[in-house]
């Protein structure tokens, strides 16, 4: 069979209704790495593969992960302001402190940064900067916490990370991990606080609770042979911050459907196909 005909046959077998059903099932789970609902995805996927007779292996590994549980800032006598703790943030329990707004732009000179960070001592820093290198430098300067303002309007808070990677940290990143309580705040709440700080001093109590520990996780990998030992790798991640179909449930369902179609036409393939779902 020539490649064009094979392509057309595989394309014709892709079942949109079946993919949509998979997306709806997958989207109902909060698929954080190593959690019960994350592992439910693996059980669902391997069950579908078993039903179709598609060979696979399930890789298992231990990962050092960090899951934000709860975070808030309470200005004395006022309603708590919602936050989201950064991955690998330090923790705080009603930690009292004065807020300061970091007015310095990114790309400040070394001399400017000396003045900038010196002002953070004993303060909870409200800033438009984020990331591990920034948080660690605030910590070294004697800062008490970091609140980084989200860029998107609409009350959204972006999940951030004070490690350099979303997976198990590398050994060189240990200085970032838990170095300081660090959390995201919405654009709207951040701007309200900036206006308050323009009018005078602001004190608050910061709480950041994290679940940071080693978790065991599984990753399914489909093995579809071809005529040669070489293979094409298709892959996507199945973990997700919350339930829902974005990032990356749609692609996960597509990969499952492609596995069925390639398996049905494996005798015509010059190369094998491996399909991996990363956690």
């Amino acid at each position: 069979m020539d490649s064009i005909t094979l392509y057309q046959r595989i394309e014709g077998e892709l079942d949109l209704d079946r993919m949509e059903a998979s997306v709806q099932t997958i989207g109902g789970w909060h698929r954080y790495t190593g959690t019960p609902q994350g592992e439910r995805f693996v059980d669902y996927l391997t069950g579908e593969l078993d039903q179709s007779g598609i060979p696979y292996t399930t890789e298992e590994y231990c990962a050092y992960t960090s899951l934000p549980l709860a975070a808030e800032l309470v200005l004395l006598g006022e309603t708590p302001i919602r936050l989201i703790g950064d991955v690998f943030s330090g923790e705080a329990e009603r930690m009292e402190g004065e807020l300061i707004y970091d007015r310095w732009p990114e790309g400040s000179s070394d001399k400017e940064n000396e003045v900038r960070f010196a002002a953070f001592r004993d303060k909870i820093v409200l800033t438009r900067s984020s990331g591990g290198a920034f948080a660690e430098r605030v910590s070294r300067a004697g800062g008490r916490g970091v609140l980084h303002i989200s860029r998107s309007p609409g009350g959204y808070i972006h999940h951030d990370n004070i490690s350099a990677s979303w997976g198990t940290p590398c050994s060189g990143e240990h200085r970032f991990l838990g170095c300081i309580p660090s959390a995201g705040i919405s654009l709207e709440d951040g701007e309200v606080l900036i206006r308050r700080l323009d009018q005078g001093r602001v004190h608050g109590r910061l709480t950041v609770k994290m679940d940071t520990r080693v978790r065991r996780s599984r990753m399914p990998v489909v093995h579809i042979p071809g005529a040669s030992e070489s293979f094409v790798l298709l892959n996507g991640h199945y973990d997700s911050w919350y339930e829902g179909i974005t990032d990356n449930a749609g692609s996960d369902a597509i990969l499952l459907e492609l596995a069925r179609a390639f398996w049905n036409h494996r005798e015509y393939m010059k190369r094998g196909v491996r399909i991996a779902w990363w956690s």
Side-chain angles (χ1 to χ4, degrees):
M1 184 184 300
D2 64 85
S3 60
I4 294 176
T5 302
L6 177 59
Y7 174 87
Q8 291 171 339
R9 287 194 178 184
I10 290 174
E11 183 184 34
E13 285 192 10
L14 301 179
D15 188 326
L16 184 60
D17 290 336
R18 189 161 55 190
M19 284 189 279
E20 185 175 349
S22 291
V23 165
Q24 294 302 322
T25 298
I26 297 167
W29 298 319
H30 179 163
R31 304 177 303 281
Y32 193 79
T33 297
T35 63
Q37 291 198 34
E39 293 300 297
R40 280 186 69 183
F41 169 84
V42 179
D43 292 336
Y44 165 77
L45 182 71
T46 54
E48 292 292 307
L49 295 172
D50 285 336
Q51 193 171 27
S52 298
I54 302 171
Y56 63 88
T57 58
T58 303
E59 307 296 333
E60 190 168 332
Y61 72 106
C62 288
Y64 186 53
T65 64
S66 183
L67 178 64
L69 297 179
E72 65 178 20
L73 176 71
V74 180
L75 304 186
L76 303 185
E78 298 187 20
T79 302
I81 298 171
R82 176 176 171 264
L83 312 171
I84 295 180
D86 293 339
V87 173
F88 295 113
S89 168
E91 292 192 297
E93 181 66 43
R94 295 171 59 83
M95 180 184 72
E96 294 192 13
E98 181 180 352
L99 273 68
I100 185 173
Y101 177 46
D102 174 23
R103 299 181 183 275
W104 293 87
E106 291 290 340
S108 299
S109 68
D110 290 343
K111 280 194 170 295
E112 288 172 329
N113 275 329
E114 287 181 15
V115 177
R116 176 190 185 190
F117 283 88
F120 297 160
R121 186 171 186 82
D122 294 326
K123 302 292 196 302
I124 298 171
V125 180
L126 180 67
T127 181
R128 299 187 191 274
S129 299
S130 62
F134 178 80
E136 191 262 347
R137 186 161 182 181
V138 173
S139 177
R140 283 193 286 112
R144 306 203 66 196
V146 173
L147 303 179
H148 52 84
I149 302 170
S150 296
R151 299 180 181 180
S152 301
Y156 301 110
I157 303 176
H158 179 67
H159 278 276
D160 215 323
N161 186 2
I162 57 175
S163 166
S165 63
W166 285 103
T168 298
C170 300
S171 58
E173 299 169 23
H174 68 275
R175 68 185 188 279
F176 301 147
L177 309 183
C179 63
I180 194 171
S182 181
I185 184 171
S186 73
L187 177 63
E188 291 80 3
D189 286 337
E191 290 179 342
V192 168
L193 286 177
I194 292 170
R195 291 194 293 270
R196 294 278 293 271
L197 286 163
D198 286 340
Q199 297 168 4
R201 299 173 71 176
V202 177
H203 290 78
R205 294 192 183 100
L206 176 63
T207 296
V208 180
K209 297 180 180 179
M210 305 295 297
D211 181 5
T212 300
R213 57 189 169 94
V214 174
R215 291 180 174 85
R216 187 169 293 278
S217 182
R218 294 177 294 160
M219 299 189 300
V221 183
V222 160
H223 301 265
I224 301 174
S228 70
E229 291 296 316
S230 61
F231 61 88
V232 174
L233 173 66
L234 306 178
N235 66 91
H237 69 87
Y238 70 80
D239 56 298
S240 172
W241 276 114
Y242 299 112
E243 68 280 2
I245 66 171
T246 58
D247 198 11
N248 192 40
S251 297
D252 294 330
I254 291 169
L255 291 177
L256 174 58
E257 190 64 17
L258 286 171
R260 294 186 179 105
F262 282 122
W263 176 248
N264 291 339
H265 295 86
R266 60 193 180 279
E267 66 269 29
Y268 304 112
M269 298 195 308
K270 294 180 181 179
R271 299 175 183 83
V273 174
R274 294 188 187 178
I275 304 176
W277 288 264
W278 314 122
S279 60

